[in-house]
Amino acid sequence: MAESVYKIIELVGTSKDSWEKAAAAAVNRAGKSLRDLRVAEVVQLDMQLDAKGKIEAYRAKLKVSFKFEG
């Protein structure tokens, strides 16, 4: 098996509906500009709140790896 190198970046996805949709939004957007995505690991979940404490958005922070070329 040939040796490979992977780069890891952090992304934050947001959604008004759920953490799952927030994570999916980050991966889907990354897939439009990066090739060979390999693993997405959710490392943190949080929520953005308004002044009254109402949830405005769900946020998911991910570490995403992709094959490093060159």
Side-chain angles (χ1 to χ4, degrees):
M1 181 173 148
E3 295 174 349
S4 297
V5 175
Y6 298 90
K7 180 160 180 70
I8 298 172
I9 60 171
E10 284 191 339
L11 302 172
V12 176
T14 63
S15 168
K16 293 187 180 273
D17 299 318
S18 70
W19 284 303
E20 291 84 0
K21 287 184 179 181
V27 171
N28 289 336
R29 178 61 186 91
K32 292 180 180 180
S33 61
L34 300 171
R35 293 187 307 211
D36 292 327
L37 295 179
R38 298 298 173 143
V39 175
E41 174 189 2
V42 176
V43 295
Q44 183 177 348
L45 299 172
D46 61 27
M47 294 176 277
Q48 181 179 343
L49 307 174
D50 68 11
K52 295 181 181 180
K54 182 181 174 193
I55 299 170
E56 289 186 334
Y58 295 88
R59 301 183 335 157
K61 182 186 281 187
L62 294 87
K63 288 186 178 182
V64 178
S65 66
F66 58 95
K67 193 169 185 179
F68 192 75
E69 296 179 1

mmCIF file of all heavy atoms in Angstrom, residues 8-50:
data_model
loop_
_atom_site.group_PDB
_atom_site.id
_atom_site.type_symbol
_atom_site.label_atom_id
_atom_site.label_comp_id
_atom_site.label_asym_id
_atom_site.label_seq_id
_atom_site.Cartn_x
_atom_site.Cartn_y
_atom_site.Cartn_z
ATOM 1 N N ILE A 8 -5.781 18.126 7.908
ATOM 2 C CA ILE A 8 -6.963 18.270 8.747
ATOM 3 C C ILE A 8 -7.247 19.757 8.924
ATOM 4 O O ILE A 8 -6.355 20.536 9.262
ATOM 5 C CB ILE A 8 -6.759 17.609 10.125
ATOM 6 C CG1 ILE A 8 -6.521 16.112 9.944
ATOM 7 C CG2 ILE A 8 -7.962 17.865 11.027
ATOM 8 C CD1 ILE A 8 -6.120 15.392 11.210
ATOM 9 N N ILE A 9 -8.508 20.131 8.687
ATOM 10 C CA ILE A 9 -8.938 21.513 8.880
ATOM 11 C C ILE A 9 -10.136 21.527 9.820
ATOM 12 O O ILE A 9 -10.801 20.503 10.001
ATOM 13 C CB ILE A 9 -9.305 22.191 7.542
ATOM 14 C CG1 ILE A 9 -10.441 21.442 6.844
ATOM 15 C CG2 ILE A 9 -8.086 22.304 6.633
ATOM 16 C CD1 ILE A 9 -11.008 22.164 5.634
ATOM 17 N N GLU A 10 -10.397 22.674 10.426
ATOM 18 C CA GLU A 10 -11.583 22.827 11.270
ATOM 19 C C GLU A 10 -12.620 23.659 10.524
ATOM 20 O O GLU A 10 -12.281 24.655 9.882
ATOM 21 C CB GLU A 10 -11.238 23.510 12.586
ATOM 22 C CG GLU A 10 -10.548 22.608 13.569
ATOM 23 C CD GLU A 10 -10.455 23.219 14.954
ATOM 24 O OE1 GLU A 10 -10.549 24.447 15.086
ATOM 25 O OE2 GLU A 10 -10.288 22.434 15.899
ATOM 26 N N LEU A 11 -13.855 23.238 10.640
ATOM 27 C CA LEU A 11 -14.973 23.938 10.030
ATOM 28 C C LEU A 11 -16.074 24.115 11.062
ATOM 29 O O LEU A 11 -16.191 23.309 11.986
ATOM 30 C CB LEU A 11 -15.548 23.128 8.861
ATOM 31 C CG LEU A 11 -14.597 22.781 7.719
ATOM 32 C CD1 LEU A 11 -15.287 21.823 6.759
ATOM 33 C CD2 LEU A 11 -14.165 24.034 6.997
ATOM 34 N N VAL A 12 -16.884 25.140 10.889
ATOM 35 C CA VAL A 12 -18.074 25.323 11.715
ATOM 36 C C VAL A 12 -19.262 25.461 10.781
ATOM 37 O O VAL A 12 -19.292 26.333 9.913
ATOM 38 C CB VAL A 12 -17.966 26.578 12.614
ATOM 39 C CG1 VAL A 12 -19.258 26.789 13.393
ATOM 40 C CG2 VAL A 12 -16.787 26.468 13.556
ATOM 41 N N GLY A 13 -20.241 24.564 10.955
ATOM 42 C CA GLY A 13 -21.476 24.626 10.187
ATOM 43 C C GLY A 13 -22.593 25.114 11.079
ATOM 44 O O GLY A 13 -22.576 24.885 12.295
ATOM 45 N N THR A 14 -23.568 25.803 10.495
ATOM 46 C CA THR A 14 -24.706 26.296 11.268
ATOM 47 C C THR A 14 -26.014 25.867 10.620
ATOM 48 O O THR A 14 -26.079 25.648 9.410
ATOM 49 C CB THR A 14 -24.698 27.826 11.385
ATOM 50 O OG1 THR A 14 -24.835 28.393 10.082
ATOM 51 C CG2 THR A 14 -23.420 28.328 12.029
ATOM 52 N N SER A 15 -27.039 25.760 11.445
ATOM 53 C CA SER A 15 -28.379 25.425 10.973
ATOM 54 C C SER A 15 -29.401 25.981 11.959
ATOM 55 O O SER A 15 -29.155 25.993 13.169
ATOM 56 C CB SER A 15 -28.560 23.910 10.873
ATOM 57 O OG SER A 15 -29.924 23.573 10.677
ATOM 58 N N LYS A 16 -30.537 26.402 11.462
ATOM 59 C CA LYS A 16 -31.621 26.843 12.332
ATOM 60 C C LYS A 16 -32.408 25.658 12.870
ATOM 61 O O LYS A 16 -33.222 25.823 13.778
ATOM 62 C CB LYS A 16 -32.544 27.796 11.590
ATOM 63 C CG LYS A 16 -31.879 29.121 11.246
ATOM 64 C CD LYS A 16 -32.861 30.102 10.678
ATOM 65 C CE LYS A 16 -32.173 31.396 10.350
ATOM 66 N NZ LYS A 16 -32.122 32.299 11.487
ATOM 67 N N ASP A 17 -32.159 24.447 12.332
ATOM 68 C CA ASP A 17 -32.973 23.284 12.681
ATOM 69 C C ASP A 17 -32.317 22.296 13.647
ATOM 70 O O ASP A 17 -32.975 21.817 14.569
ATOM 71 C CB ASP A 17 -33.369 22.524 11.411
ATOM 72 C CG ASP A 17 -34.191 23.385 10.470
ATOM 73 O OD1 ASP A 17 -35.069 24.120 10.952
ATOM 74 O OD2 ASP A 17 -33.935 23.333 9.253
ATOM 75 N N SER A 18 -31.038 21.935 13.421
ATOM 76 C CA SER A 18 -30.433 20.882 14.245
ATOM 77 C C SER A 18 -28.917 20.869 14.098
ATOM 78 O O SER A 18 -28.357 21.430 13.157
ATOM 79 C CB SER A 18 -30.975 19.508 13.834
ATOM 80 O OG SER A 18 -30.491 19.145 12.550
ATOM 81 N N TRP A 19 -28.272 20.169 15.068
ATOM 82 C CA TRP A 19 -26.828 19.983 14.981
ATOM 83 C C TRP A 19 -26.470 19.093 13.805
ATOM 84 O O TRP A 19 -25.447 19.295 13.165
ATOM 85 C CB TRP A 19 -26.282 19.370 16.274
ATOM 86 C CG TRP A 19 -26.189 20.340 17.401
ATOM 87 C CD1 TRP A 19 -25.495 21.523 17.411
ATOM 88 C CD2 TRP A 19 -26.779 20.230 18.688
ATOM 89 N NE1 TRP A 19 -25.631 22.142 18.622
ATOM 90 C CE2 TRP A 19 -26.408 21.368 19.432
ATOM 91 C CE3 TRP A 19 -27.590 19.272 19.292
ATOM 92 C CZ2 TRP A 19 -26.824 21.571 20.733
ATOM 93 C CZ3 TRP A 19 -27.991 19.483 20.602
ATOM 94 C CH2 TRP A 19 -27.609 20.618 21.306
ATOM 95 N N GLU A 20 -27.304 18.091 13.517
ATOM 96 C CA GLU A 20 -27.027 17.200 12.386
ATOM 97 C C GLU A 20 -26.996 17.980 11.071
ATOM 98 O O GLU A 20 -26.106 17.780 10.246
ATOM 99 C CB GLU A 20 -28.076 16.087 12.310
ATOM 100 C CG GLU A 20 -27.993 15.084 13.436
ATOM 101 C CD GLU A 20 -28.728 15.532 14.714
ATOM 102 O OE1 GLU A 20 -29.324 16.649 14.738
ATOM 103 O OE2 GLU A 20 -28.690 14.778 15.693
ATOM 104 N N LYS A 21 -27.947 18.882 10.899
ATOM 105 C CA LYS A 21 -27.966 19.686 9.671
ATOM 106 C C LYS A 21 -26.800 20.664 9.631
ATOM 107 O O LYS A 21 -26.268 20.962 8.560
ATOM 108 C CB LYS A 21 -29.297 20.417 9.537
ATOM 109 C CG LYS A 21 -30.441 19.491 9.172
ATOM 110 C CD LYS A 21 -31.731 20.250 8.951
ATOM 111 C CE LYS A 21 -32.837 19.286 8.554
ATOM 112 N NZ LYS A 21 -34.107 19.990 8.315
ATOM 113 N N ALA A 22 -26.386 21.150 10.793
ATOM 114 C CA ALA A 22 -25.226 22.047 10.850
ATOM 115 C C ALA A 22 -23.960 21.317 10.413
ATOM 116 O O ALA A 22 -23.167 21.834 9.623
ATOM 117 C CB ALA A 22 -25.072 22.608 12.260
ATOM 118 N N ALA A 23 -23.781 20.091 10.916
ATOM 119 C CA ALA A 23 -22.605 19.296 10.538
ATOM 120 C C ALA A 23 -22.649 18.960 9.053
ATOM 121 O O ALA A 23 -21.637 19.054 8.353
ATOM 122 C CB ALA A 23 -22.535 18.027 11.373
ATOM 123 N N ALA A 24 -23.824 18.573 8.572
ATOM 124 C CA ALA A 24 -23.967 18.228 7.150
ATOM 125 C C ALA A 24 -23.681 19.436 6.265
ATOM 126 O O ALA A 24 -23.062 19.303 5.204
ATOM 127 C CB ALA A 24 -25.364 17.674 6.881
ATOM 128 N N ALA A 25 -24.101 20.622 6.689
ATOM 129 C CA ALA A 25 -23.853 21.832 5.903
ATOM 130 C C ALA A 25 -22.353 22.081 5.752
ATOM 131 O O ALA A 25 -21.875 22.434 4.663
ATOM 132 C CB ALA A 25 -24.525 23.036 6.565
ATOM 133 N N ALA A 26 -21.600 21.874 6.836
ATOM 134 C CA ALA A 26 -20.152 22.073 6.775
ATOM 135 C C ALA A 26 -19.495 21.083 5.819
ATOM 136 O O ALA A 26 -18.660 21.453 4.987
ATOM 137 C CB ALA A 26 -19.536 21.951 8.171
ATOM 138 N N VAL A 27 -19.877 19.817 5.914
ATOM 139 C CA VAL A 27 -19.286 18.783 5.049
ATOM 140 C C VAL A 27 -19.681 19.016 3.597
ATOM 141 O O VAL A 27 -18.848 18.914 2.686
ATOM 142 C CB VAL A 27 -19.688 17.375 5.520
ATOM 143 C CG1 VAL A 27 -19.267 16.326 4.509
ATOM 144 C CG2 VAL A 27 -19.075 17.073 6.877
ATOM 145 N N ASN A 28 -20.942 19.329 3.357
ATOM 146 C CA ASN A 28 -21.399 19.556 1.978
ATOM 147 C C ASN A 28 -20.682 20.737 1.339
ATOM 148 O O ASN A 28 -20.278 20.669 0.182
ATOM 149 C CB ASN A 28 -22.912 19.771 1.950
ATOM 150 C CG ASN A 28 -23.678 18.510 2.230
ATOM 151 O OD1 ASN A 28 -23.185 17.403 2.022
ATOM 152 N ND2 ASN A 28 -24.889 18.652 2.727
ATOM 153 N N ARG A 29 -20.496 21.798 2.095
ATOM 154 C CA ARG A 29 -19.803 22.967 1.545
ATOM 155 C C ARG A 29 -18.337 22.660 1.290
ATOM 156 O O ARG A 29 -17.771 23.041 0.268
ATOM 157 C CB ARG A 29 -19.952 24.158 2.500
ATOM 158 C CG ARG A 29 -19.237 25.406 2.047
ATOM 159 C CD ARG A 29 -19.783 25.888 0.698
ATOM 160 N NE ARG A 29 -19.023 26.993 0.199
ATOM 161 C CZ ARG A 29 -17.956 26.890 -0.598
ATOM 162 N NH1 ARG A 29 -17.520 25.697 -0.973
ATOM 163 N NH2 ARG A 29 -17.333 27.948 -1.037
ATOM 164 N N ALA A 30 -17.694 21.955 2.212
ATOM 165 C CA ALA A 30 -16.285 21.590 2.028
ATOM 166 C C ALA A 30 -16.114 20.717 0.790
ATOM 167 O O ALA A 30 -15.132 20.840 0.064
ATOM 168 C CB ALA A 30 -15.754 20.864 3.257
ATOM 169 N N GLY A 31 -17.076 19.832 0.545
ATOM 170 C CA GLY A 31 -17.012 18.944 -0.602
ATOM 171 C C GLY A 31 -17.066 19.654 -1.939
ATOM 172 O O GLY A 31 -16.678 19.096 -2.964
ATOM 173 N N LYS A 32 -17.513 20.902 -1.952
ATOM 174 C CA LYS A 32 -17.574 21.674 -3.200
ATOM 175 C C LYS A 32 -16.218 22.230 -3.609
ATOM 176 O O LYS A 32 -16.006 22.549 -4.775
ATOM 177 C CB LYS A 32 -18.586 22.810 -3.071
ATOM 178 C CG LYS A 32 -20.016 22.315 -2.974
ATOM 179 C CD LYS A 32 -20.979 23.455 -2.851
ATOM 180 C CE LYS A 32 -22.399 22.906 -2.749
ATOM 181 N NZ LYS A 32 -23.377 23.987 -2.616
ATOM 182 N N SER A 33 -15.297 22.368 -2.640
ATOM 183 C CA SER A 33 -13.997 22.945 -2.986
ATOM 184 C C SER A 33 -12.806 22.050 -2.639
ATOM 185 O O SER A 33 -11.694 22.356 -3.041
ATOM 186 C CB SER A 33 -13.832 24.314 -2.307
ATOM 187 O OG SER A 33 -13.897 24.177 -0.912
ATOM 188 N N LEU A 34 -13.042 20.974 -1.891
ATOM 189 C CA LEU A 34 -11.963 20.052 -1.535
ATOM 190 C C LEU A 34 -12.241 18.681 -2.122
ATOM 191 O O LEU A 34 -13.392 18.238 -2.148
ATOM 192 C CB LEU A 34 -11.839 19.925 -0.013
ATOM 193 C CG LEU A 34 -11.530 21.203 0.751
ATOM 194 C CD1 LEU A 34 -11.660 20.963 2.242
ATOM 195 C CD2 LEU A 34 -10.137 21.698 0.402
ATOM 196 N N ARG A 35 -11.182 18.013 -2.572
ATOM 197 C CA ARG A 35 -11.335 16.654 -3.107
ATOM 198 C C ARG A 35 -10.888 15.640 -2.084
ATOM 199 O O ARG A 35 -10.107 15.945 -1.182
ATOM 200 C CB ARG A 35 -10.494 16.496 -4.374
ATOM 201 C CG ARG A 35 -10.984 17.331 -5.529
ATOM 202 C CD ARG A 35 -10.219 16.998 -6.771
ATOM 203 N NE ARG A 35 -8.779 17.096 -6.509
ATOM 204 C CZ ARG A 35 -7.881 17.439 -7.391
ATOM 205 N NH1 ARG A 35 -8.245 17.704 -8.593
ATOM 206 N NH2 ARG A 35 -6.614 17.488 -7.083
ATOM 207 N N ASP A 36 -11.372 14.439 -2.247
ATOM 208 C CA ASP A 36 -10.952 13.300 -1.423
ATOM 209 C C ASP A 36 -11.155 13.519 0.072
ATOM 210 O O ASP A 36 -10.268 13.243 0.876
ATOM 211 C CB ASP A 36 -9.488 12.943 -1.699
ATOM 212 C CG ASP A 36 -9.274 12.384 -3.085
ATOM 213 O OD1 ASP A 36 -10.197 11.700 -3.576
ATOM 214 O OD2 ASP A 36 -8.204 12.614 -3.657
ATOM 215 N N LEU A 37 -12.340 14.037 0.445
ATOM 216 C CA LEU A 37 -12.662 14.129 1.865
ATOM 217 C C LEU A 37 -12.674 12.721 2.438
ATOM 218 O O LEU A 37 -13.166 11.790 1.814
ATOM 219 C CB LEU A 37 -14.026 14.776 2.081
ATOM 220 C CG LEU A 37 -14.170 16.236 1.658
ATOM 221 C CD1 LEU A 37 -15.591 16.704 1.913
ATOM 222 C CD2 LEU A 37 -13.177 17.117 2.382
ATOM 223 N N ARG A 38 -12.123 12.540 3.638
ATOM 224 C CA ARG A 38 -11.991 11.204 4.214
ATOM 225 C C ARG A 38 -12.802 11.016 5.482
ATOM 226 O O ARG A 38 -13.562 10.084 5.607
ATOM 227 C CB ARG A 38 -10.512 10.891 4.506
ATOM 228 C CG ARG A 38 -9.639 10.892 3.275
ATOM 229 C CD ARG A 38 -10.104 9.824 2.313
ATOM 230 N NE ARG A 38 -9.377 9.919 1.065
ATOM 231 C CZ ARG A 38 -9.008 8.889 0.366
ATOM 232 N NH1 ARG A 38 -9.278 7.676 0.771
ATOM 233 N NH2 ARG A 38 -8.362 9.062 -0.768
ATOM 234 N N VAL A 39 -12.609 11.903 6.452
ATOM 235 C CA VAL A 39 -13.257 11.746 7.761
ATOM 236 C C VAL A 39 -13.713 13.113 8.246
ATOM 237 O O VAL A 39 -12.995 14.103 8.091
ATOM 238 C CB VAL A 39 -12.275 11.138 8.795
ATOM 239 C CG1 VAL A 39 -12.899 11.091 10.172
ATOM 240 C CG2 VAL A 39 -11.830 9.750 8.373
ATOM 241 N N ALA A 40 -14.903 13.146 8.842
ATOM 242 C CA ALA A 40 -15.382 14.352 9.512
ATOM 243 C C ALA A 40 -15.707 13.970 10.952
ATOM 244 O O ALA A 40 -16.518 13.083 11.194
ATOM 245 C CB ALA A 40 -16.611 14.909 8.811
ATOM 246 N N GLU A 41 -15.046 14.621 11.888
ATOM 247 C CA GLU A 41 -15.225 14.328 13.309
ATOM 248 C C GLU A 41 -15.851 15.548 13.984
ATOM 249 O O GLU A 41 -15.307 16.652 13.940
ATOM 250 C CB GLU A 41 -13.865 14.041 13.951
ATOM 251 C CG GLU A 41 -13.920 13.868 15.439
ATOM 252 C CD GLU A 41 -12.540 13.793 16.065
ATOM 253 O OE1 GLU A 41 -11.521 13.905 15.353
ATOM 254 O OE2 GLU A 41 -12.488 13.621 17.294
ATOM 255 N N VAL A 42 -17.012 15.364 14.597
ATOM 256 C CA VAL A 42 -17.643 16.446 15.343
ATOM 257 C C VAL A 42 -16.897 16.598 16.663
ATOM 258 O O VAL A 42 -16.790 15.647 17.433
ATOM 259 C CB VAL A 42 -19.141 16.160 15.594
ATOM 260 C CG1 VAL A 42 -19.754 17.245 16.464
ATOM 261 C CG2 VAL A 42 -19.896 16.033 14.277
ATOM 262 N N VAL A 43 -16.355 17.787 16.906
ATOM 263 C CA VAL A 43 -15.567 18.005 18.113
ATOM 264 C C VAL A 43 -16.272 18.901 19.125
ATOM 265 O O VAL A 43 -15.898 18.905 20.299
ATOM 266 C CB VAL A 43 -14.161 18.566 17.794
ATOM 267 C CG1 VAL A 43 -13.345 17.552 17.024
ATOM 268 C CG2 VAL A 43 -14.244 19.871 17.044
ATOM 269 N N GLN A 44 -17.276 19.655 18.677
ATOM 270 C CA GLN A 44 -17.978 20.529 19.609
ATOM 271 C C GLN A 44 -19.345 20.867 19.042
ATOM 272 O O GLN A 44 -19.486 21.102 17.837
ATOM 273 C CB GLN A 44 -17.181 21.812 19.837
ATOM 274 C CG GLN A 44 -17.787 22.754 20.836
ATOM 275 C CD GLN A 44 -16.912 23.980 21.071
ATOM 276 O OE1 GLN A 44 -15.761 24.025 20.647
ATOM 277 N NE2 GLN A 44 -17.462 24.962 21.733
ATOM 278 N N LEU A 45 -20.339 20.908 19.919
ATOM 279 C CA LEU A 45 -21.679 21.345 19.559
ATOM 280 C C LEU A 45 -22.046 22.508 20.465
ATOM 281 O O LEU A 45 -21.812 22.458 21.675
ATOM 282 C CB LEU A 45 -22.700 20.214 19.752
ATOM 283 C CG LEU A 45 -22.480 18.953 18.926
ATOM 284 C CD1 LEU A 45 -23.460 17.867 19.374
ATOM 285 C CD2 LEU A 45 -22.633 19.236 17.447
ATOM 286 N N ASP A 46 -22.615 23.566 19.886
ATOM 287 C CA ASP A 46 -23.104 24.669 20.706
ATOM 288 C C ASP A 46 -24.272 25.341 19.995
ATOM 289 O O ASP A 46 -24.666 24.914 18.908
ATOM 290 C CB ASP A 46 -21.997 25.653 21.078
ATOM 291 C CG ASP A 46 -21.339 26.331 19.884
ATOM 292 O OD1 ASP A 46 -21.992 26.477 18.832
ATOM 293 O OD2 ASP A 46 -20.176 26.725 19.986
ATOM 294 N N MET A 47 -24.833 26.341 20.647
ATOM 295 C CA MET A 47 -25.976 27.052 20.086
ATOM 296 C C MET A 47 -25.738 28.549 20.169
ATOM 297 O O MET A 47 -25.144 29.033 21.133
ATOM 298 C CB MET A 47 -27.250 26.710 20.860
ATOM 299 C CG MET A 47 -27.675 25.280 20.728
ATOM 300 S SD MET A 47 -29.106 24.907 21.743
ATOM 301 C CE MET A 47 -28.317 24.596 23.315
ATOM 302 N N GLN A 48 -26.230 29.252 19.177
ATOM 303 C CA GLN A 48 -26.204 30.705 19.194
ATOM 304 C C GLN A 48 -27.558 31.155 19.738
ATOM 305 O O GLN A 48 -28.603 30.692 19.270
ATOM 306 C CB GLN A 48 -25.982 31.233 17.778
ATOM 307 C CG GLN A 48 -25.903 32.730 17.686
ATOM 308 C CD GLN A 48 -25.648 33.183 16.259
ATOM 309 O OE1 GLN A 48 -25.234 32.404 15.404
ATOM 310 N NE2 GLN A 48 -25.909 34.434 15.995
ATOM 311 N N LEU A 49 -27.539 32.039 20.729
ATOM 312 C CA LEU A 49 -28.763 32.487 21.388
ATOM 313 C C LEU A 49 -28.998 33.968 21.133
ATOM 314 O O LEU A 49 -28.053 34.741 20.975
ATOM 315 C CB LEU A 49 -28.668 32.247 22.897
ATOM 316 C CG LEU A 49 -28.301 30.833 23.334
ATOM 317 C CD1 LEU A 49 -28.109 30.789 24.843
ATOM 318 C CD2 LEU A 49 -29.361 29.837 22.891
ATOM 319 N N ASP A 50 -30.288 34.363 21.151
ATOM 320 C CA ASP A 50 -30.595 35.784 21.043
ATOM 321 C C ASP A 50 -30.582 36.409 22.436
ATOM 322 O O ASP A 50 -30.282 35.740 23.437
ATOM 323 C CB ASP A 50 -31.916 36.007 20.309
ATOM 324 C CG ASP A 50 -33.140 35.520 21.079
ATOM 325 O OD1 ASP A 50 -33.021 35.182 22.282
ATOM 326 O OD2 ASP A 50 -34.230 35.482 20.478
#
